[in-house]
Amino acid sequence: EDQVTQSPEALRLQEGESSSLNCSYTVSGLRGLFWYRQDPGKGPEFLFTLYSAGEEKEKERLKATLTKKESFLHITAPKPEDSATYLCAVRGASGGSNYKLTFGKGTLLTVNP
Amino acid sequence: EPEVTQTPSHQVTQMGQEVILRCVPISNHLYFYWYRQILGQKVEFLVSFYNNEISEKSEIFDDQFSVERPDGSNFTLKIRSTKLEDSAMYFCASMGDNEQFFGPGTRLTVL
């Protein structure tokens, strides 16, 4: 069974203070690791897909990296509007052609001005 | 930009009543999903739907649940006899090539 563990559960940063969020995973044949942003009461918003170890993706102040066991979401010089819950999800080979996602509990990021 | 839409945004119902949650996926997508998120917990997979049939369902998706694509645009989740523990956010998602895009969710409250 695919498993995703995210840490820390919550992170409080000052504006401009860079940091990283961790996503550790166990999956039978990774078919994609996904990062989403979720604002309170809203649906997950797609950020990145990573497929193989060593791959990196960037978008504005966010950069996602992938190893064989974990992924990091690096946040450089965050702003208050980056405050949200960041979700990590995996798609494994056991899902076959159904492409279902297994999510972690998320990291609640708060950026103070 | 195309997006997944869901209605209603909030549904309040009495235990034992039937509810139907509605979704309009992105128009050229072929894979459709329902997930749920109980307050403070993970987003959990319920069911996937492709080529007009269920392709996989989780243990949560028991006989009380059903899905349907009644026309070319809508995708619905029906809960036949709601229980208190069905209270959650229900998210519809659709996928074209590789990424799943989620709707804003329906908050279901069962009293």
Side-chain angles (χ1 to χ4, degrees), chain B residues 23-50:
Chain B
C23 168
V24 178
I26 294 172
S27 63
N28 61 343
H29 285 184
L30 299 178
Y31 296 86
F32 312 113
Y33 306 85
W34 284 100
Y35 291 82
R36 80 172 185 190
Q37 186 176 33
I38 294 171
L39 189 63
Q41 297 188 23
K42 297 182 181 185
V43 175
E44 302 174 284
F45 168 77
L46 291 178
V47 64
S48 57
F49 192 87
Y50 172 72

Side-chain angles (χ1 to χ4, degrees), chain A residues 5-17:
Chain A
T5 303
Q6 293 187 246
S7 62
E9 290 186 9
L11 180 63
R12 199 175 278 274
L13 299 174
Q14 288 299 121
E15 186 171 0
E17 180 187 1

Side-chain angles (χ1 to χ4, degrees), chain B residues 88-100:
Chain B
M89 281 288 283
Y90 288 81
F91 295 110
C92 172
S94 70
M95 184 178 79
D97 292 329
N98 289 302
E99 287 82 30
Q100 292 183 24

Side-chain angles (χ1 to χ4, degrees), chain A residues 1-4 24-33 51 66-70 89-95 100-102:
Chain A
E1 186 178 328
D2 302 340
Q3 291 190 347
V4 177
S24 298
Y25 64 90
T26 305
V27 66
S28 176
L30 183 68
R31 295 291 183 267
L33 184 140
Y51 289 104
L66 182 65
T67 73
K68 289 187 178 179
K69 294 184 179 180
E70 56 192 353
V90 296
R91 185 165 68 209
S94 61
K100 70 176 182 182
L101 297 178
T102 299

Side-chain angles (χ1 to χ4, degrees), chain B residues 28-93:
Chain B
N28 61 343
H29 285 184
L30 299 178
Y31 296 86
F32 312 113
Y33 306 85
W34 284 100
Y35 291 82
R36 80 172 185 190
Q37 186 176 33
I38 294 171
L39 189 63
Q41 297 188 23
K42 297 182 181 185
V43 175
E44 302 174 284
F45 168 77
L46 291 178
V47 64
S48 57
F49 192 87
Y50 172 72
N51 201 25
N52 284 320
E53 62 182 20
I54 290 174
S55 48
E56 187 177 354
K57 57 186 180 181
S58 72
E59 292 177 354
I60 303 167
F61 195 90
D62 60 22
D63 292 342
Q64 296 297 318
F65 291 87
S66 62
V67 290
E68 195 177 36
R69 189 156 161 82
D71 53 42
S73 60
N74 290 286
F75 180 49
T76 62
L77 174 70
K78 182 192 290 186
I79 309 175
R80 266 180 270 282
S81 178
T82 50
K83 306 183 185 79
L84 294 176
E85 54 265 37
D86 294 328
S87 294
M89 281 288 283
Y90 288 81
F91 295 110
C92 172

Side-chain angles (χ1 to χ4, degrees), chain A residues 62-110:
Chain A
L62 300 177
K63 182 167 112 175
T65 62
L66 182 65
T67 73
K68 289 187 178 179
K69 294 184 179 180
E70 56 192 353
S71 176
F72 292 93
L73 185 65
H74 308 277
I75 303 175
T76 302
K79 299 182 177 182
E81 53 262 42
D82 295 321
S83 297
T85 296
Y86 290 86
L87 303 176
C88 175
V90 296
R91 185 165 68 209
S94 61
S97 60
N98 305 309
Y99 302 109
K100 70 176 182 182
L101 297 178
T102 299
F103 281 85
K105 288 193 72 173
T107 293
L108 174 60
L109 175 67
T110 304

